[in-house]
């Protein structure tokens, strides 16, 4: 059982699925679904169509060059069955998959760091542009002084009221 790759989008094609197109020069093109087949017939370039693996790799969205991709290459050389060889191969495949996922996660984190820096710069520019809309920061000391001044004013008003009442009585 061989899992093929779609010629257009590079997704997996399992046995019994997909569409095969054979050109006059006997070159076979395998497509995972009619969407890929129609795009191929319209002569679209997979590197320019945003949902394909080729676009993502060519635009730096996915890990493109890595030694873990060597195992995925197609080999047409027949090898005599050896149980130990198969066990070692399966163990290596699992280990390589772990390494690949770790490297892809690290690659994604590196990509997102650049975006966060750009976002931070944009935010700083926005604040600098509209600084007049932001109220100045008030410290605790200023709040305390303002409250103290209010209470002093109330006391003065009460004293004035008392003086006025005492004068009225006289």
């Amino acid at each position: 059982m061989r899992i093929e790759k779609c010629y257009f989008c590079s997704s997996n094609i399992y046995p019994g699925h997909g569409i095969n197109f054979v050109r006059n020069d006997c070159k076979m093109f395998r497509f995972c679904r009619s969407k890929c087949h129609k795009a191929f017939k319209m002569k679209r370039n997979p590197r320019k169509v945003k949902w394909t693996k080729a676009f993502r790799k060519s635009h730096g969205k996915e890990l493109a060059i890595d030694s873990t991709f060597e195992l995925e290459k197609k080999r047409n050389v027949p090898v005599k069955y050896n149980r130990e060889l198969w066990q070692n191969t399966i163990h290596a495949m699992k280990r390589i998959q772990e390494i690949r996922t770790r490297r892809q996660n690290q690659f994604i984190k590196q990509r997102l760091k650049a975006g966060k820096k750009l976002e931070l710069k944009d935010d700083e520019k926005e604040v600098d542009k509209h600084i007049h809309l932001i109220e100045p920061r008030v410290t605790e000391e200023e709040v305390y002084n303002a409250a103290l001044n209010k209470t002093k004013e109330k006391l003065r008003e009460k004293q004035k009221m008392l003086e006025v009442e005492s004068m009225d009585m006289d």
Side-chain angles (χ1 to χ4, degrees):
M1 179 177 96
R2 175 172 273 178
I3 299 171
E4 303 286 344
K5 292 284 183 185
C6 176
Y7 178 80
F8 196 78
C9 71
S10 303
S11 64
N12 293 332
I13 306 171
Y14 293 95
H17 294 267
I19 303 163
N20 285 340
F21 172 71
V22 183
R23 208 165 48 190
N24 287 342
D25 62 351
C26 295
K27 177 150 174 54
M28 282 192 76
F29 299 95
R30 290 179 172 84
F31 304 103
C32 59
R33 53 187 177 261
S34 60
K35 179 181 180 180
C36 297
H37 187 218
K38 287 174 185 174
F40 176 79
K41 287 194 292 187
M42 287 189 281
K43 298 183 177 180
R44 291 210 171 126
N45 188 346
R47 283 172 285 158
K48 293 182 180 178
V49 180
K50 289 192 176 186
W51 51 269
T52 62
K53 199 96 161 165
F55 175 88
R56 293 187 62 75
K57 284 185 177 181
S58 65
H59 286 78
K61 307 269 183 209
E62 282 186 9
L63 197 59
I65 302 168
D66 194 27
S67 59
T68 58
F69 294 124
E70 289 294 319
L71 188 73
E72 253 184 57
K73 287 189 177 175
K74 190 174 181 180
R75 292 170 188 81
N76 290 325
V77 178
V79 178
K80 189 174 180 182
Y81 177 76
N82 182 359
R83 184 180 182 131
E84 189 177 326
L85 176 69
W86 277 100
Q87 287 176 342
N88 291 342
T89 305
I90 290 172
H91 179 69
M93 287 169 59
K94 289 178 183 175
R95 181 74 180 120
I96 287 172
Q97 185 63 32
E98 291 171 10
I99 293 168
R100 183 182 298 156
T101 54
R102 194 176 329 118
R103 287 182 182 172
Q104 284 176 342
N105 291 339
Q106 186 179 11
F107 180 76
I108 290 168
K109 284 181 183 176
Q110 290 294 333
R111 273 187 46 229
L112 293 177
K113 275 185 186 177
K116 285 182 182 178
K117 286 180 183 176
L118 289 174
E119 196 173 308
L120 189 65
K121 284 183 182 179
D122 289 344
D123 290 344
E124 286 175 359
K125 285 180 184 176
E126 184 89 18
V127 168
D128 288 341
K129 189 174 181 181
H130 302 291
I131 194 73
H132 63 280
L133 298 174
I134 301 172
E135 292 182 13
R137 263 185 122 172
V138 180
T139 62
E140 288 181 32
E141 190 176 319
E142 291 172 347
V143 171
Y144 175 75
N145 289 336
L148 189 65
N149 289 337
K150 282 184 181 178
T151 54
K152 285 182 180 178
E153 286 178 28
K154 286 181 182 178
L155 282 172
R156 287 183 194 136
E157 286 179 19
K158 283 184 181 179
Q159 286 177 352
K160 285 183 182 177
M161 292 292 280
L162 289 174
E163 288 177 8
V164 170
E165 285 179 11
S166 64
M167 287 190 157
D168 286 339
M169 290 188 156
D170 289 334

mmCIF file with all atom_site columns, all heavy atoms in Angstrom, residues 48-66:
data_model
loop_
_atom_site.group_PDB
_atom_site.id
_atom_site.type_symbol
_atom_site.label_atom_id
_atom_site.label_alt_id
_atom_site.label_comp_id
_atom_site.label_asym_id
_atom_site.label_entity_id
_atom_site.label_seq_id
_atom_site.pdbx_PDB_ins_code
_atom_site.Cartn_x
_atom_site.Cartn_y
_atom_site.Cartn_z
_atom_site.occupancy
_atom_site.B_iso_or_equiv
_atom_site.pdbx_formal_charge
_atom_site.auth_seq_id
_atom_site.auth_comp_id
_atom_site.auth_asym_id
_atom_site.auth_atom_id
_atom_site.pdbx_PDB_model_num
ATOM 1   N N   . LYS A 1 48 ? 1.485  29.880 -6.602  1.00 0.00 ? 48 LYS A N   1
ATOM 2   C CA  . LYS A 1 48 ? 0.753  31.144 -6.514  1.00 0.00 ? 48 LYS A CA  1
ATOM 3   C C   . LYS A 1 48 ? -0.639 30.984 -5.913  1.00 0.00 ? 48 LYS A C   1
ATOM 4   O O   . LYS A 1 48 ? -1.308 31.973 -5.670  1.00 0.00 ? 48 LYS A O   1
ATOM 5   C CB  . LYS A 1 48 ? 0.642  31.778 -7.896  1.00 0.00 ? 48 LYS A CB  1
ATOM 6   C CG  . LYS A 1 48 ? 1.990  32.229 -8.446  1.00 0.00 ? 48 LYS A CG  1
ATOM 7   C CD  . LYS A 1 48 ? 1.834  32.893 -9.776  1.00 0.00 ? 48 LYS A CD  1
ATOM 8   C CE  . LYS A 1 48 ? 3.195  33.338 -10.302 1.00 0.00 ? 48 LYS A CE  1
ATOM 9   N NZ  . LYS A 1 48 ? 3.078  33.940 -11.628 1.00 0.00 ? 48 LYS A NZ  1
ATOM 10  N N   . VAL A 1 49 ? -1.060 29.747 -5.702  1.00 0.00 ? 49 VAL A N   1
ATOM 11  C CA  . VAL A 1 49 ? -2.374 29.473 -5.109  1.00 0.00 ? 49 VAL A CA  1
ATOM 12  C C   . VAL A 1 49 ? -2.176 29.320 -3.605  1.00 0.00 ? 49 VAL A C   1
ATOM 13  O O   . VAL A 1 49 ? -1.436 28.439 -3.156  1.00 0.00 ? 49 VAL A O   1
ATOM 14  C CB  . VAL A 1 49 ? -3.000 28.197 -5.721  1.00 0.00 ? 49 VAL A CB  1
ATOM 15  C CG1 . VAL A 1 49 ? -4.352 27.926 -5.104  1.00 0.00 ? 49 VAL A CG1 1
ATOM 16  C CG2 . VAL A 1 49 ? -3.122 28.357 -7.221  1.00 0.00 ? 49 VAL A CG2 1
ATOM 17  N N   . LYS A 1 50 ? -2.852 30.152 -2.815  1.00 0.00 ? 50 LYS A N   1
ATOM 18  C CA  . LYS A 1 50 ? -2.532 30.293 -1.398  1.00 0.00 ? 50 LYS A CA  1
ATOM 19  C C   . LYS A 1 50 ? -2.777 29.062 -0.548  1.00 0.00 ? 50 LYS A C   1
ATOM 20  O O   . LYS A 1 50 ? -2.151 28.894 0.482   1.00 0.00 ? 50 LYS A O   1
ATOM 21  C CB  . LYS A 1 50 ? -3.314 31.470 -0.804  1.00 0.00 ? 50 LYS A CB  1
ATOM 22  C CG  . LYS A 1 50 ? -2.802 32.788 -1.299  1.00 0.00 ? 50 LYS A CG  1
ATOM 23  C CD  . LYS A 1 50 ? -3.366 33.930 -0.518  1.00 0.00 ? 50 LYS A CD  1
ATOM 24  C CE  . LYS A 1 50 ? -2.746 35.226 -1.006  1.00 0.00 ? 50 LYS A CE  1
ATOM 25  N NZ  . LYS A 1 50 ? -3.129 36.352 -0.226  1.00 0.00 ? 50 LYS A NZ  1
ATOM 26  N N   . TRP A 1 51 ? -3.670 28.164 -0.930  1.00 0.00 ? 51 TRP A N   1
ATOM 27  C CA  . TRP A 1 51 ? -3.997 27.027 -0.084  1.00 0.00 ? 51 TRP A CA  1
ATOM 28  C C   . TRP A 1 51 ? -3.103 25.813 -0.325  1.00 0.00 ? 51 TRP A C   1
ATOM 29  O O   . TRP A 1 51 ? -3.268 24.777 0.324   1.00 0.00 ? 51 TRP A O   1
ATOM 30  C CB  . TRP A 1 51 ? -5.469 26.634 -0.239  1.00 0.00 ? 51 TRP A CB  1
ATOM 31  C CG  . TRP A 1 51 ? -5.935 26.450 -1.646  1.00 0.00 ? 51 TRP A CG  1
ATOM 32  C CD1 . TRP A 1 51 ? -6.474 27.410 -2.451  1.00 0.00 ? 51 TRP A CD1 1
ATOM 33  C CD2 . TRP A 1 51 ? -5.889 25.253 -2.419  1.00 0.00 ? 51 TRP A CD2 1
ATOM 34  N NE1 . TRP A 1 51 ? -6.782 26.871 -3.683  1.00 0.00 ? 51 TRP A NE1 1
ATOM 35  C CE2 . TRP A 1 51 ? -6.444 25.548 -3.681  1.00 0.00 ? 51 TRP A CE2 1
ATOM 36  C CE3 . TRP A 1 51 ? -5.464 23.966 -2.173  1.00 0.00 ? 51 TRP A CE3 1
ATOM 37  C CZ2 . TRP A 1 51 ? -6.555 24.604 -4.680  1.00 0.00 ? 51 TRP A CZ2 1
ATOM 38  C CZ3 . TRP A 1 51 ? -5.579 23.014 -3.171  1.00 0.00 ? 51 TRP A CZ3 1
ATOM 39  C CH2 . TRP A 1 51 ? -6.121 23.337 -4.408  1.00 0.00 ? 51 TRP A CH2 1
ATOM 40  N N   . THR A 1 52 ? -2.126 25.906 -1.215  1.00 0.00 ? 52 THR A N   1
ATOM 41  C CA  . THR A 1 52 ? -1.266 24.756 -1.505  1.00 0.00 ? 52 THR A CA  1
ATOM 42  C C   . THR A 1 52 ? -0.030 24.746 -0.614  1.00 0.00 ? 52 THR A C   1
ATOM 43  O O   . THR A 1 52 ? 0.389  25.761 -0.053  1.00 0.00 ? 52 THR A O   1
ATOM 44  C CB  . THR A 1 52 ? -0.814 24.771 -2.973  1.00 0.00 ? 52 THR A CB  1
ATOM 45  O OG1 . THR A 1 52 ? -0.051 25.948 -3.204  1.00 0.00 ? 52 THR A OG1 1
ATOM 46  C CG2 . THR A 1 52 ? -1.996 24.725 -3.913  1.00 0.00 ? 52 THR A CG2 1
ATOM 47  N N   . LYS A 1 53 ? 0.555  23.563 -0.506  1.00 0.00 ? 53 LYS A N   1
ATOM 48  C CA  . LYS A 1 53 ? 1.773  23.376 0.289   1.00 0.00 ? 53 LYS A CA  1
ATOM 49  C C   . LYS A 1 53 ? 2.938  24.120 -0.371  1.00 0.00 ? 53 LYS A C   1
ATOM 50  O O   . LYS A 1 53 ? 3.793  24.670 0.312   1.00 0.00 ? 53 LYS A O   1
ATOM 51  C CB  . LYS A 1 53 ? 2.072  21.883 0.355   1.00 0.00 ? 53 LYS A CB  1
ATOM 52  C CG  . LYS A 1 53 ? 2.971  21.487 1.451   1.00 0.00 ? 53 LYS A CG  1
ATOM 53  C CD  . LYS A 1 53 ? 2.146  21.045 2.605   1.00 0.00 ? 53 LYS A CD  1
ATOM 54  C CE  . LYS A 1 53 ? 2.947  20.210 3.567   1.00 0.00 ? 53 LYS A CE  1
ATOM 55  N NZ  . LYS A 1 53 ? 2.252  20.084 4.826   1.00 0.00 ? 53 LYS A NZ  1
ATOM 56  N N   . ALA A 1 54 ? 2.953  24.151 -1.700  1.00 0.00 ? 54 ALA A N   1
ATOM 57  C CA  . ALA A 1 54 ? 4.037  24.825 -2.433  1.00 0.00 ? 54 ALA A CA  1
ATOM 58  C C   . ALA A 1 54 ? 4.045  26.319 -2.123  1.00 0.00 ? 54 ALA A C   1
ATOM 59  O O   . ALA A 1 54 ? 5.112  26.924 -1.956  1.00 0.00 ? 54 ALA A O   1
ATOM 60  C CB  . ALA A 1 54 ? 3.886  24.591 -3.930  1.00 0.00 ? 54 ALA A CB  1
ATOM 61  N N   . PHE A 1 55 ? 2.870  26.936 -2.051  1.00 0.00 ? 55 PHE A N   1
ATOM 62  C CA  . PHE A 1 55 ? 2.778  28.363 -1.720  1.00 0.00 ? 55 PHE A CA  1
ATOM 63  C C   . PHE A 1 55 ? 3.315  28.609 -0.318  1.00 0.00 ? 55 PHE A C   1
ATOM 64  O O   . PHE A 1 55 ? 4.109  29.517 -0.085  1.00 0.00 ? 55 PHE A O   1
ATOM 65  C CB  . PHE A 1 55 ? 1.324  28.841 -1.808  1.00 0.00 ? 55 PHE A CB  1
ATOM 66  C CG  . PHE A 1 55 ? 1.136  30.268 -1.366  1.00 0.00 ? 55 PHE A CG  1
ATOM 67  C CD1 . PHE A 1 55 ? 1.276  31.304 -2.265  1.00 0.00 ? 55 PHE A CD1 1
ATOM 68  C CD2 . PHE A 1 55 ? 0.826  30.573 -0.046  1.00 0.00 ? 55 PHE A CD2 1
ATOM 69  C CE1 . PHE A 1 55 ? 1.110  32.619 -1.867  1.00 0.00 ? 55 PHE A CE1 1
ATOM 70  C CE2 . PHE A 1 55 ? 0.656  31.879 0.364   1.00 0.00 ? 55 PHE A CE2 1
ATOM 71  C CZ  . PHE A 1 55 ? 0.804  32.912 -0.547  1.00 0.00 ? 55 PHE A CZ  1
ATOM 72  N N   . ARG A 1 56 ? 2.882  27.785 0.629   1.00 0.00 ? 56 ARG A N   1
ATOM 73  C CA  . ARG A 1 56 ? 3.285  27.978 2.027   1.00 0.00 ? 56 ARG A CA  1
ATOM 74  C C   . ARG A 1 56 ? 4.796  27.838 2.189   1.00 0.00 ? 56 ARG A C   1
ATOM 75  O O   . ARG A 1 56 ? 5.413  28.593 2.923   1.00 0.00 ? 56 ARG A O   1
ATOM 76  C CB  . ARG A 1 56 ? 2.544  26.997 2.928   1.00 0.00 ? 56 ARG A CB  1
ATOM 77  C CG  . ARG A 1 56 ? 1.047  27.274 2.990   1.00 0.00 ? 56 ARG A CG  1
ATOM 78  C CD  . ARG A 1 56 ? 0.354  26.423 4.009   1.00 0.00 ? 56 ARG A CD  1
ATOM 79  N NE  . ARG A 1 56 ? 0.818  26.646 5.361   1.00 0.00 ? 56 ARG A NE  1
ATOM 80  C CZ  . ARG A 1 56 ? 0.509  27.696 6.107   1.00 0.00 ? 56 ARG A CZ  1
ATOM 81  N NH1 . ARG A 1 56 ? -0.289 28.625 5.638   1.00 0.00 ? 56 ARG A NH1 1
ATOM 82  N NH2 . ARG A 1 56 ? 0.981  27.818 7.331   1.00 0.00 ? 56 ARG A NH2 1
ATOM 83  N N   . LYS A 1 57 ? 5.385  26.885 1.478   1.00 0.00 ? 57 LYS A N   1
ATOM 84  C CA  . LYS A 1 57 ? 6.834  26.698 1.578   1.00 0.00 ? 57 LYS A CA  1
ATOM 85  C C   . LYS A 1 57 ? 7.592  27.822 0.888   1.00 0.00 ? 57 LYS A C   1
ATOM 86  O O   . LYS A 1 57 ? 8.588  28.315 1.408   1.00 0.00 ? 57 LYS A O   1
ATOM 87  C CB  . LYS A 1 57 ? 7.234  25.349 0.989   1.00 0.00 ? 57 LYS A CB  1
ATOM 88  C CG  . LYS A 1 57 ? 6.900  24.191 1.905   1.00 0.00 ? 57 LYS A CG  1
ATOM 89  C CD  . LYS A 1 57 ? 7.419  22.893 1.360   1.00 0.00 ? 57 LYS A CD  1
ATOM 90  C CE  . LYS A 1 57 ? 7.121  21.782 2.334   1.00 0.00 ? 57 LYS A CE  1
ATOM 91  N NZ  . LYS A 1 57 ? 7.635  20.487 1.874   1.00 0.00 ? 57 LYS A NZ  1
ATOM 92  N N   . SER A 1 58 ? 7.113  28.242 -0.283  1.00 0.00 ? 58 SER A N   1
ATOM 93  C CA  . SER A 1 58 ? 7.834  29.273 -1.033  1.00 0.00 ? 58 SER A CA  1
ATOM 94  C C   . SER A 1 58 ? 7.723  30.644 -0.367  1.00 0.00 ? 58 SER A C   1
ATOM 95  O O   . SER A 1 58 ? 8.586  31.493 -0.573  1.00 0.00 ? 58 SER A O   1
ATOM 96  C CB  . SER A 1 58 ? 7.334  29.348 -2.470  1.00 0.00 ? 58 SER A CB  1
ATOM 97  O OG  . SER A 1 58 ? 5.988  29.771 -2.500  1.00 0.00 ? 58 SER A OG  1
ATOM 98  N N   . HIS A 1 59 ? 6.677  30.872 0.422   1.00 0.00 ? 59 HIS A N   1
ATOM 99  C CA  . HIS A 1 59 ? 6.509  32.156 1.102   1.00 0.00 ? 59 HIS A CA  1
ATOM 100 C C   . HIS A 1 59 ? 6.959  32.127 2.556   1.00 0.00 ? 59 HIS A C   1
ATOM 101 O O   . HIS A 1 59 ? 6.670  33.049 3.315   1.00 0.00 ? 59 HIS A O   1
ATOM 102 C CB  . HIS A 1 59 ? 5.055  32.612 1.002   1.00 0.00 ? 59 HIS A CB  1
ATOM 103 C CG  . HIS A 1 59 ? 4.691  33.103 -0.355  1.00 0.00 ? 59 HIS A CG  1
ATOM 104 N ND1 . HIS A 1 59 ? 4.431  32.243 -1.404  1.00 0.00 ? 59 HIS A ND1 1
ATOM 105 C CD2 . HIS A 1 59 ? 4.573  34.349 -0.857  1.00 0.00 ? 59 HIS A CD2 1
ATOM 106 C CE1 . HIS A 1 59 ? 4.148  32.946 -2.482  1.00 0.00 ? 59 HIS A CE1 1
ATOM 107 N NE2 . HIS A 1 59 ? 4.231  34.234 -2.188  1.00 0.00 ? 59 HIS A NE2 1
ATOM 108 N N   . GLY A 1 60 ? 7.655  31.056 2.966   1.00 0.00 ? 60 GLY A N   1
ATOM 109 C CA  . GLY A 1 60 ? 8.230  30.992 4.305   1.00 0.00 ? 60 GLY A CA  1
ATOM 110 C C   . GLY A 1 60 ? 7.221  30.739 5.404   1.00 0.00 ? 60 GLY A C   1
ATOM 111 O O   . GLY A 1 60 ? 7.488  31.023 6.571   1.00 0.00 ? 60 GLY A O   1
ATOM 112 N N   . LYS A 1 61 ? 6.062  30.187 5.074   1.00 0.00 ? 61 LYS A N   1
ATOM 113 C CA  . LYS A 1 61 ? 5.046  29.916 6.087   1.00 0.00 ? 61 LYS A CA  1
ATOM 114 C C   . LYS A 1 61 ? 5.283  28.567 6.763   1.00 0.00 ? 61 LYS A C   1
ATOM 115 O O   . LYS A 1 61 ? 4.846  28.337 7.871   1.00 0.00 ? 61 LYS A O   1
ATOM 116 C CB  . LYS A 1 61 ? 3.642  29.912 5.469   1.00 0.00 ? 61 LYS A CB  1
ATOM 117 C CG  . LYS A 1 61 ? 3.320  31.136 4.679   1.00 0.00 ? 61 LYS A CG  1
ATOM 118 C CD  . LYS A 1 61 ? 2.677  32.156 5.536   1.00 0.00 ? 61 LYS A CD  1
ATOM 119 C CE  . LYS A 1 61 ? 2.278  33.365 4.715   1.00 0.00 ? 61 LYS A CE  1
ATOM 120 N NZ  . LYS A 1 61 ? 2.284  34.568 5.467   1.00 0.00 ? 61 LYS A NZ  1
ATOM 121 N N   . GLU A 1 62 ? 5.943  27.656 6.053   1.00 0.00 ? 62 GLU A N   1
ATOM 122 C CA  . GLU A 1 62 ? 6.225  26.336 6.589   1.00 0.00 ? 62 GLU A CA  1
ATOM 123 C C   . GLU A 1 62 ? 7.703  26.029 6.424   1.00 0.00 ? 62 GLU A C   1
ATOM 124 O O   . GLU A 1 62 ? 8.390  26.612 5.594   1.00 0.00 ? 62 GLU A O   1
ATOM 125 C CB  . GLU A 1 62 ? 5.406  25.265 5.862   1.00 0.00 ? 62 GLU A CB  1
ATOM 126 C CG  . GLU A 1 62 ? 3.982  25.200 6.300   1.00 0.00 ? 62 GLU A CG  1
ATOM 127 C CD  . GLU A 1 62 ? 3.238  24.030 5.666   1.00 0.00 ? 62 GLU A CD  1
ATOM 128 O OE1 . GLU A 1 62 ? 3.876  23.178 5.021   1.00 0.00 ? 62 GLU A OE1 1
ATOM 129 O OE2 . GLU A 1 62 ? 2.011  23.998 5.816   1.00 0.00 ? 62 GLU A OE2 1
ATOM 130 N N   . LEU A 1 63 ? 8.152  25.081 7.202   1.00 0.00 ? 63 LEU A N   1
ATOM 131 C CA  . LEU A 1 63 ? 9.530  24.634 7.149   1.00 0.00 ? 63 LEU A CA  1
ATOM 132 C C   . LEU A 1 63 ? 9.787  23.998 5.787   1.00 0.00 ? 63 LEU A C   1
ATOM 133 O O   . LEU A 1 63 ? 9.098  23.061 5.388   1.00 0.00 ? 63 LEU A O   1
ATOM 134 C CB  . LEU A 1 63 ? 9.755  23.605 8.266   1.00 0.00 ? 63 LEU A CB  1
ATOM 135 C CG  . LEU A 1 63 ? 11.164 23.276 8.675   1.00 0.00 ? 63 LEU A CG  1
ATOM 136 C CD1 . LEU A 1 63 ? 11.869 24.537 9.157   1.00 0.00 ? 63 LEU A CD1 1
ATOM 137 C CD2 . LEU A 1 63 ? 11.164 22.247 9.784   1.00 0.00 ? 63 LEU A CD2 1
ATOM 138 N N   . ALA A 1 64 ? 10.744 24.526 5.030   1.00 0.00 ? 64 ALA A N   1
ATOM 139 C CA  . ALA A 1 64 ? 10.971 24.055 3.664   1.00 0.00 ? 64 ALA A CA  1
ATOM 140 C C   . ALA A 1 64 ? 12.202 23.162 3.550   1.00 0.00 ? 64 ALA A C   1
ATOM 141 O O   . ALA A 1 64 ? 12.164 22.116 2.910   1.00 0.00 ? 64 ALA A O   1
ATOM 142 C CB  . ALA A 1 64 ? 11.105 25.244 2.723   1.00 0.00 ? 64 ALA A CB  1
ATOM 143 N N   . ILE A 1 65 ? 13.287 23.548 4.184   1.00 0.00 ? 65 ILE A N   1
ATOM 144 C CA  . ILE A 1 65 ? 14.539 22.801 4.053   1.00 0.00 ? 65 ILE A CA  1
ATOM 145 C C   . ILE A 1 65 ? 14.874 22.192 5.409   1.00 0.00 ? 65 ILE A C   1
ATOM 146 O O   . ILE A 1 65 ? 15.133 22.899 6.381   1.00 0.00 ? 65 ILE A O   1
ATOM 147 C CB  . ILE A 1 65 ? 15.684 23.731 3.600   1.00 0.00 ? 65 ILE A CB  1
ATOM 148 C CG1 . ILE A 1 65 ? 15.324 24.381 2.277   1.00 0.00 ? 65 ILE A CG1 1
ATOM 149 C CG2 . ILE A 1 65 ? 16.986 22.955 3.486   1.00 0.00 ? 65 ILE A CG2 1
ATOM 150 C CD1 . ILE A 1 65 ? 16.240 25.516 1.884   1.00 0.00 ? 65 ILE A CD1 1
ATOM 151 N N   . ASP A 1 66 ? 14.848 20.864 5.453   1.00 0.00 ? 66 ASP A N   1
ATOM 152 C CA  . ASP A 1 66 ? 15.158 20.174 6.697   1.00 0.00 ? 66 ASP A CA  1
ATOM 153 C C   . ASP A 1 66 ? 15.584 18.748 6.363   1.00 0.00 ? 66 ASP A C   1
ATOM 154 O O   . ASP A 1 66 ? 15.076 18.142 5.405   1.00 0.00 ? 66 ASP A O   1
ATOM 155 C CB  . ASP A 1 66 ? 13.936 20.166 7.621   1.00 0.00 ? 66 ASP A CB  1
ATOM 156 C CG  . ASP A 1 66 ? 14.290 19.785 9.038   1.00 0.00 ? 66 ASP A CG  1
ATOM 157 O OD1 . ASP A 1 66 ? 15.449 20.027 9.437   1.00 0.00 ? 66 ASP A OD1 1
ATOM 158 O OD2 . ASP A 1 66 ? 13.420 19.244 9.738   1.00 0.00 ? 66 ASP A OD2 1
#
